[in-house]
């Protein structure tokens, strides 16, 4: 691996308005919505740490208190559980506190994902870094980010996660124009378009919420005007980088075929909870038979 490609930092944008989840997100960021019994954000921080990224910068917006508190100590709760001798629950409470070296910066106005990532510039410096979105939970048994970091290092390039989606839903994603490489699960990206109009997507390869980026992305983002929805789009900056491999290293995609749970949309969020809960040792044995019975009574 290129020694210049030493990566230690993860950036987690969590400043979106979460309008699809109103009113739940009126006073709380959507990243705090529980997926079974953990907020979505904790899965994401755990994933970063599992990939060796212990320095986590969260980009927060209004209602940031819940996020910061979740990764902080909570004295009276810990004392009460200790007094009761409830070590199991005490362990659960402390797990998020001891996970990573957490940092926070505010986005100010939520002017888009690209704008949120640009807020990480000072903290990240001139190093490659990872971006993880709380909308996607990647099953820890299918280590995507580790694979992406490996490829980014090998190629000294930026790498995004791609998912083959049904053409009918491509307009909800950033979609890539791709070329094969010598590696089966890696493609070279030659173009990108954010949320293409239905029927105009250049492929079925959609970006999901994991990125390994070279610091040149900051230089590009600084010059990226608002795009789709009047927001500064990370996809637009990546499109620029894909077209300028001489100084950005270009952009590659790792095609993910593992288990991913989409929590950004209400219906997919409900599916994610059911999927994850049936597989849990503590809940699955009771949930599975109930679910079968429930399903057989539908209609
Ligand atoms: P989304 O496009 O899902 O937007 O953002 P959103 O506002 O969070 O949710 P909806 O669509 O209104 O329901 C993708 C990711 O980018 C972050 C979000 O927190 C989410 O992780 N984001 C988006 C920011 O941090 N800042 C922004 O200005 C926009």
């Amino acid at each position: 691996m290129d020694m210049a490609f030493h990566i230690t930092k993860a950036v987690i944008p969590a400043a979106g308005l979460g309008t699809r989840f109103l009113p739940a997100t009126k006073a709380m960021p959507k990243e705090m919505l529980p997926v079974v019994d953990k907020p979505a954000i904790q899965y994401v921080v755990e994933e970063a740490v599992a990939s060796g990224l212990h320095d986590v910068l969260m980009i927060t917006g209004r209602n940031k208190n819940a996020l910061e508190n979740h990764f902080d100590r909570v004295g009276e709760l810990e004392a009460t559980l200790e007094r009761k001798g409830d070590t199991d629950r005490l362990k659960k409470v402390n797990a998020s506190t001891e996970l990573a070296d957490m940092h926070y910066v505010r986005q100010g106005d939520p002017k888009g994902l690209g704008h949120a990532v640009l807020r990480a510039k000072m903290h990240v410096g001139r190093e490659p870094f990872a971006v993880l979105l709380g909308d996607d939970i990647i099953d820890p048994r299918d280590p995507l980010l580790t694979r992406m970091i490996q490829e980014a290092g090998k190629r000294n390039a930026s790498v995004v996660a791609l998912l083959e989606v049904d053409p009918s839903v491509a307009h909800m994603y950033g979609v890539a124009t791709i070329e094969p490489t010598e590696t089966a699960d890696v493609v070279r990206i030659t173009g990108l378009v954010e949320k293409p109009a239905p029927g105009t997507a250049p492929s079925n390869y959609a970006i999901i919420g994991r990125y390994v980026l070279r610091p040149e992305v900051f230089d590009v983002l600084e010059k990226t005007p608002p795009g789709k929805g009047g927001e500064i789009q990370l996809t637009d900056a990546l499109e620029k980088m894909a077209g300028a491999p001489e100084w950005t290293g270009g952009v590659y995609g790792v095609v993910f075929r593992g288990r991913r749970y989409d929590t950004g949309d209400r219906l997919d969020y409900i599916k994610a909870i059911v999927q994850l809960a049936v597989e849990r040792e503590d809940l699955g044995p009771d949930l599975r038979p109930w679910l079968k019975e429930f399903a057989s009574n539908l209609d």
Side-chain angles (χ1 to χ4, degrees):
M1 192 192 298
D2 187 335
M3 282 316 286
F5 211 97
H6 182 60
I7 171 164
T8 58
K9 289 174 184 156
V11 173
I12 305 183
L17 295 178
T19 54
R20 285 170 292 171
F21 267 102
L22 283 168
T25 47
K26 187 177 170 191
M28 175 179 88
K30 72 172 170 189
E31 288 77 7
M32 281 303 295
L33 287 171
V35 179
V36 189
D37 51 8
K38 275 194 286 193
I41 193 80
Q42 188 174 336
Y43 290 87
V44 175
V45 174
E46 284 171 353
E47 183 190 337
V49 171
S51 299
L53 312 181
H54 296 268
D55 180 327
V56 175
L57 175 70
M58 211 168 280
I59 316 295
T60 63
R62 61 194 187 101
N63 308 326
K64 68 160 185 171
N65 292 352
L67 283 167
E68 291 199 13
N69 289 343
H70 185 70
F71 294 96
D72 201 355
R73 304 204 77 106
V74 39
E76 48 315 3
L77 181 58
E78 288 172 36
T80 307
L81 292 171
E82 231 158 76
R83 217 174 320 115
K84 285 188 182 163
D86 194 340
T87 45
D88 268 6
R89 292 205 173 90
L90 187 61
K91 237 166 83 190
K92 284 184 185 165
V93 166
N94 286 336
S96 58
T97 317
E98 292 157 1
L99 207 49
D101 187 7
M102 302 295 301
H103 306 269
Y104 303 90
V105 61
R106 283 242 185 182
Q107 186 181 4
D109 286 333
K111 293 189 208 156
L113 176 59
H115 181 254
V117 170
L118 187 52
R119 299 289 294 127
K121 183 181 169 181
M122 287 299 281
H123 183 85
V124 167
R126 299 308 290 182
E127 292 171 21
F129 64 105
V131 173
L132 297 88
L133 304 189
D135 284 5
D136 291 306
I137 291 178
I138 303 296
D139 196 297
R141 292 165 293 184
D142 303 319
L144 167 64
L145 188 59
T146 306
R147 176 86 191 93
M148 293 170 67
I149 292 172
Q150 214 175 35
E151 280 303 318
K154 194 173 108 188
R155 297 169 193 278
N156 196 16
S158 296
V159 171
V160 304
L162 294 176
L163 187 73
E164 239 180 304
V165 299
D166 192 273
S168 65
V169 299
H171 65 278
M172 290 155 49
Y173 295 86
V175 181
T177 309
I178 59 164
E179 278 174 2
T181 68
E182 71 297 342
T183 312
D185 64 336
V186 181
V187 294
R188 196 170 80 82
I189 294 180
T190 56
L192 279 165
V193 48
E194 180 63 24
K195 300 193 176 74
T200 67
S203 77
N204 298 335
Y205 288 90
I207 303 187
I208 55 172
R210 298 292 179 273
Y211 309 78
V212 177
L213 301 174
R214 277 192 24 176
E216 286 81 359
V217 72
F218 296 127
D219 310 326
V220 178
L221 279 170
E222 275 171 340
K223 297 195 196 95
T224 302
K228 267 273 149 63
E231 297 191 335
I232 296 173
Q233 298 287 355
L234 182 58
T235 306
D236 293 346
L238 289 169
E239 150 88 2
K240 261 269 160 56
M241 291 172 81
E246 330 71 72
W247 63 279
T248 68
V251 182
Y252 291 80
V254 163
V255 180
F256 183 60
R257 300 211 160 82
R259 285 157 285 193
R260 166 218 183 212
Y261 312 96
D262 181 353
T263 62
D265 165 87
R266 287 171 306 167
L267 182 61
D268 288 329
Y269 171 75
I270 295 166
K271 291 181 190 167
I273 292 177
V274 175
Q275 275 174 285
L276 282 163
V278 293
E279 291 185 18
R280 287 258 301 242
E281 272 173 32
D282 54 346
L283 298 167
D286 289 332
L287 181 59
R288 279 191 296 266
W290 177 85
L291 202 57
K292 279 188 189 151
E293 167 86 23
F294 180 76
S296 69
N297 286 330
L298 287 176
D299 304 325

